Amino acid sequence: MAGLAPYKADFLQAALDGGVLKFGSFELKSKRISPYFFNAGDFYTAKLQSAIGTAFAKAIIEARQQFPGFDFDVVFGPAYKGIPLATLTNLKLGELDPASHADTLCSFDRKEAKDHGEGGNIVGAPLKGKRVLIIDDVITAGTAKREAIQKIRQEGGTVAGIVVALDRMEKLTSPDGDDTKAMPSAMGELRKELGVPVFAIITLNDIIDGVKSKSLASADTIKSIEEYRSKGSQSERDAIILNASPAACADRNWSVIRNSYLPVRAIRATAKRIDGNVLTVKLYQDEFIRLRDGFKAEITGVVERVPT
C-alpha cells in the first residue's frame, strides 16, 4: 500500500482479510454512527494473531528508535482485550529483537481482585519499580487507560507509554452532548497528561490512504469515511513550540528532529514566526519538522490549544 510502512500495510491488509476492519454503518459507544468498525477481538486465528503481534512489536521497535529515552521493562495488557494483545506482543518482541527484549516481562490485571490463592490485582510479572508499556486495542475516551494507569501506579510501577492497534483520530464527546463543539482527542489528552509516547500501529488516515491506494473499498465508502473524519476528528490539537536558529531551515538538506512527546508521521510545520535569532514553529499532534544537518532544536513544552 503506497505510502505506508510495510508493517502497517501488512497489518491493514490482515485486518481487512480477516474481517477485523469492516465497512458499513455502526453505532459506537459515543452514539456516533461510523462508516467503519474495528474489532480487535476478531483477531482469533493463529494467522491473525501472528499478524497483530508482529505489527505491535514492529511499531514499538520503531518507536524506540524515534523517541529518545523511551524504554520499558514490562508490557501490560488491561483486561480483557489487552491480555492476549500484550502476550502476543511480548512473544514477537522477543523473536524480532531478542537482544533488547528476550527478557521483557508481561503482566495483566484482573477486573476484580482475587481474595484467595496468590490474590491481588495483577497476574504475571510484579510491577513494583518497573517501567510499564500499556498495550490495548483502541483509545475511546481514555477512561479504561486511566484505570490501568492507576492500577500500575498502585502496584509501584511507572507508565512508560501506551500503544494501541488503531487511532480513530476522534475528538472526545462534549459533556453536554453537543458533538459540534471543539473538543480534543483522547490520545492527545493522554499524551499531554502523561508526557510519554502514546501511539498506534495505524490511524484513520492510514486506513483511508491504504484502501484508496489499492481500491480496497468502493468510492462511496471512501467518501463516507473521509466525510466522517472531517466531522468527527478532534477539532483542537495539542501544540508545542520548537525553537531553532533560522539558518536551520534555510535549505532542503534536512535531518529529522524527533522528541519523546509526539509520534512522527508527517512532514509539515505551520505558523512559522521569526523572533530575533530564533525561528518558532508550532508542531501539532502527529507532526514533526525536519531541520538542516548540524542544527539542533529544543522542545519547550505544550503551550496552547489551537483550533483547526
Side-chain angles (χ1 to χ4, degrees):
M1 296 179 187
L4 294 185
Y7 78 87
K8 292 176 181 281
D10 290 345
F11 176 69
L12 178 55
Q13 190 67 62
L16 289 166
D17 292 345
V20 177
L21 175 62
K22 303 178 178 71
F23 302 121
S25 180
F26 307 92
E27 183 175 343
L28 306 179
K29 186 185 295 185
S30 63
K31 302 302 180 183
R32 295 181 182 131
I33 303 301
S34 171
Y36 74 99
F37 187 69
F38 179 88
N39 181 13
D42 285 340
F43 280 97
Y44 50 67
T45 69
K47 182 178 180 180
L48 289 173
Q49 288 178 338
S50 178
I52 194 169
T54 298
F56 265 116
K58 289 186 175 181
I60 292 165
I61 291 168
E62 181 181 76
R64 290 191 65 201
Q65 297 170 347
Q66 293 175 350
F67 304 136
F70 171 47
D71 205 355
F72 55 93
D73 308 300
V74 182
V75 292
F76 179 87
Y80 290 104
K81 287 183 180 177
I83 296 173
L85 297 180
T87 304
L88 292 165
T89 299
N90 201 37
L91 285 170
K92 289 297 181 179
L93 282 170
E95 290 177 10
L96 296 173
D97 188 4
S100 300
H101 295 293
D103 296 316
T104 298
L105 308 173
C106 186
S107 292
F108 60 89
D109 65 333
R110 294 186 173 97
K111 286 287 188 180
E112 296 180 0
K114 188 177 180 182
D115 60 4
H116 60 281
E118 75 277 16
N121 286 304
I122 303 300
V123 179
L127 303 182
K128 186 174 182 179
K130 303 297 184 183
R131 298 164 297 177
V132 182
L133 176 63
I134 298 172
I135 311 285
D136 214 347
D137 57 345
V138 296
I139 294 176
T140 305
T143 305
K145 304 303 175 289
R146 287 181 174 85
E147 291 174 355
I149 291 165
Q150 183 178 6
K151 285 185 179 181
I152 290 166
R153 289 173 174 170
Q154 287 173 345
E155 294 292 326
T158 301
V159 176
I162 301 173
V163 55
V164 295
L166 172 66
D167 176 5
R168 293 181 57 89
M169 300 178 64
E170 292 197 15
K171 63 183 180 181
L172 294 169
T173 54
S174 173
D176 62 6
D178 184 355
D179 211 27
T180 65
K181 286 187 175 179
M183 294 293 292
S185 71
M187 289 189 72
E189 288 295 281
L190 283 170
R191 287 191 191 102
K192 184 176 69 172
E193 180 181 320
L194 298 173
V196 298
V198 180
F199 56 100
I201 299 173
I202 58 172
T203 68
L204 177 56
N205 284 341
D206 294 328
I207 290 176
I208 293 172
D209 292 345
V211 297
K212 286 175 72 173
S213 69
K214 293 290 186 179
S215 300
L216 299 174
S218 69
D220 287 343
T221 295
I222 293 171
K223 181 181 178 181
S224 67
I225 298 173
E226 290 178 325
E227 289 175 349
Y228 181 80
R229 176 179 59 180
S230 67
K231 294 177 182 177
S233 294
Q234 66 267 22
S235 52
E236 287 188 54
R237 295 182 290 182
D238 298 327
I240 63 174
I241 294 297
L242 178 148
N243 293 323
S245 161
C249 296
D251 61 33
R252 298 183 62 83
N253 182 21
W254 306 110
S255 62
V256 177
I257 295 296
R258 297 186 173 102
N259 62 79
S260 60
Y261 184 77
L262 299 176
V264 174
R265 68 173 307 276
I267 307 174
R268 61 187 186 274
T270 59
K272 295 181 181 179
R273 183 178 76 249
I274 298 294
D275 182 11
N277 293 322
V278 175
L279 171 67
T280 300
V281 182
K282 292 181 181 178
L283 299 181
Y284 298 96
Q285 178 184 323
D286 296 339
E287 298 181 5
F288 74 106
I289 186 174
R290 296 181 177 220
L291 300 179
R292 197 173 68 180
D293 289 339
F295 289 89
K296 296 182 179 180
E298 178 184 359
I299 302 300
T300 58
V302 176
V303 294
E304 61 181 307
R305 304 197 67 79
V306 181
T308 57

